Amino acid sequence: MNNCNGTESQAYLDDWYSPRLGALYAVLGVGYSIIYIPCIIVMREKDLWINTCYQVMFIVGVLDIGTLMVSAVVPSIYMFIPLSIDCHPVAIQILACWTCQLFWNAYCFMAVVLIMNRCVFMASPSNWHERLFENGRIWLWAAAALVYGCMFIAVFASPYGTLQFHSGAGIYIWASTDVIGSKFSTFNNTATGFLIPIGYILLALIIRRKRMDATGSAAQTTTAEKRLQLQAILICAPTCIAALFYYFAPQITSEVVVYQVIHVVWISSNGRILLC
């Protein structure tokens, strides 16, 4: 029986109190954020900012930090207090349906834009790349990402989508009343998980073709370009892994511990700037 009057009954704590897992989330979320912030500040330096890829990565980084807040930092607080779904429905709903959906789905959108940016730049740097990404058009993509994230907020704020954070289990769950919310999340995770590797396969083919067509020094990719491609891959690959885990896991098992591991993978996917 849930205890909503502030007293600490053992049954309530058994259901909704998870300090060890909460401490892990807090350490990961705060640690990644502290290291991440200087990295995105560096991306604003003039010699990097002129490259549209770094502009996209800057936006991805901001969304990353926002996602770390709703996947790790704020949930860890809920796991220490603890706050149950029944006792604090508004607080849990804002965390799960609004901020979580906004940041994660907007972030996935921009991760796909990042690989698209790389492909278009390598294939047509002076034509389509200029039309799609230069002269401030990056911010139009960022606005589109926010609109995409808000679409998920609308779904989960409606009677047809119900996503909640369970402070005892330390994971987001779909309630039995959910009708289409889980389908929207599955669509996002599936699209992200498959579009990113397809994009990098296409990028590899574009680079291979350009090398075969080029001669002399033009056939060699510069060190800076190689580093930039590697950074883009390291940023997007963990996102792809986390999305695919969320896609395949419901088809394989319902064990809570599996979803707790996947949640840690999700947190780590938003802290992968350390790899760069």
Side-chain angles (χ1 to χ4, degrees):
M1 180 176 180
N2 292 338
N3 187 341
C4 298
N5 60 12
T7 60
E8 296 183 354
S9 69
Q10 189 58 46
Y12 181 75
L13 293 179
D14 289 344
D15 285 340
W16 301 102
Y17 188 54
S18 186
R20 292 182 181 178
L21 190 58
L24 174 62
Y25 288 4
V27 169
L28 290 175
V30 173
Y32 285 143
S33 298
I34 289 175
I35 299 174
Y36 213 140
I37 291 174
C39 294
I40 63 173
I41 292 175
V42 169
M43 292 179 192
R44 289 282 297 168
E45 293 183 358
K46 186 175 181 180
D47 57 334
L48 298 179
W49 192 250
I50 58 175
N51 193 317
T52 59
C53 182
Y54 279 105
Q55 295 176 27
V56 177
M57 286 195 290
F58 172 82
I59 297 169
V60 169
V62 172
L63 293 172
D64 259 328
I65 293 176
T67 307
L68 284 170
M69 293 299 106
V70 297
S71 66
V73 179
V74 177
S76 70
I77 296 173
Y78 286 2
M79 296 162 76
F80 274 101
I81 294 179
L83 301 178
S84 80
I85 297 170
D86 296 335
C87 299
H88 305 275
V90 176
I92 300 298
Q93 192 75 353
I94 290 175
L95 169 68
C97 292
W98 296 4
T99 52
C100 172
Q101 290 300 312
L102 174 63
F103 285 119
W104 169 245
N105 291 290
Y107 160 76
C108 289
F109 185 98
M110 288 305 299
V112 174
V113 170
L114 178 58
I115 177 56
M116 187 171 70
N117 173 277
R118 291 293 80 210
C119 288
V120 173
F121 177 79
M122 294 302 297
S124 181
S126 61
N127 191 1
W128 282 104
H129 180 265
E130 181 177 353
R131 295 179 183 180
L132 292 173
F133 296 104
E134 293 185 3
N135 300 317
R137 292 182 177 88
I138 292 296
W139 302 109
L140 295 178
W141 288 107
L146 292 177
V147 171
Y148 180 70
C150 288
M151 178 184 71
F152 285 81
I153 293 178
V155 170
F156 283 102
S158 74
Y160 306 103
T162 306
L163 181 65
Q164 303 165 326
F165 181 78
H166 195 296
S167 63
I171 59 176
Y172 286 96
I173 59 175
W174 285 281
S176 58
T177 55
D178 182 272
V179 178
I180 62 172
S182 60
K183 294 181 177 61
F184 269 70
S185 292
T186 299
F187 162 77
N188 176 77
N189 293 332
T190 305
T192 302
F194 285 97
L195 286 176
I196 288 176
I198 289 173
Y200 278 107
I201 291 173
L202 179 60
L203 178 61
L205 293 175
I206 292 172
I207 293 175
R208 178 180 174 85
R209 181 176 179 179
K210 289 179 71 69
R211 286 179 176 176
M212 292 177 63
D213 293 343
T215 59
S217 60
Q220 302 298 321
T221 304
T222 66
T223 301
E225 184 61 32
K226 287 181 179 179
R227 182 179 178 183
L228 189 55
Q229 304 295 359
L230 178 61
Q231 286 176 327
I233 292 172
L234 291 175
I235 281 177
C236 292
T239 305
C240 173
I241 294 171
L244 287 175
F245 278 0
Y246 273 108
Y247 171 73
F248 285 112
Q251 305 176 41
I252 300 173
T253 182
S254 58
E255 290 292 330
V256 172
V257 66
V258 173
Y259 289 90
Q260 290 172 338
V261 171
I262 294 175
H263 194 96
V264 172
V265 172
W266 176 26
I267 294 171
S268 299
S269 76
N270 291 112
R272 72 279 182 268
I273 193 69
L274 298 174
L275 298 174
C276 299

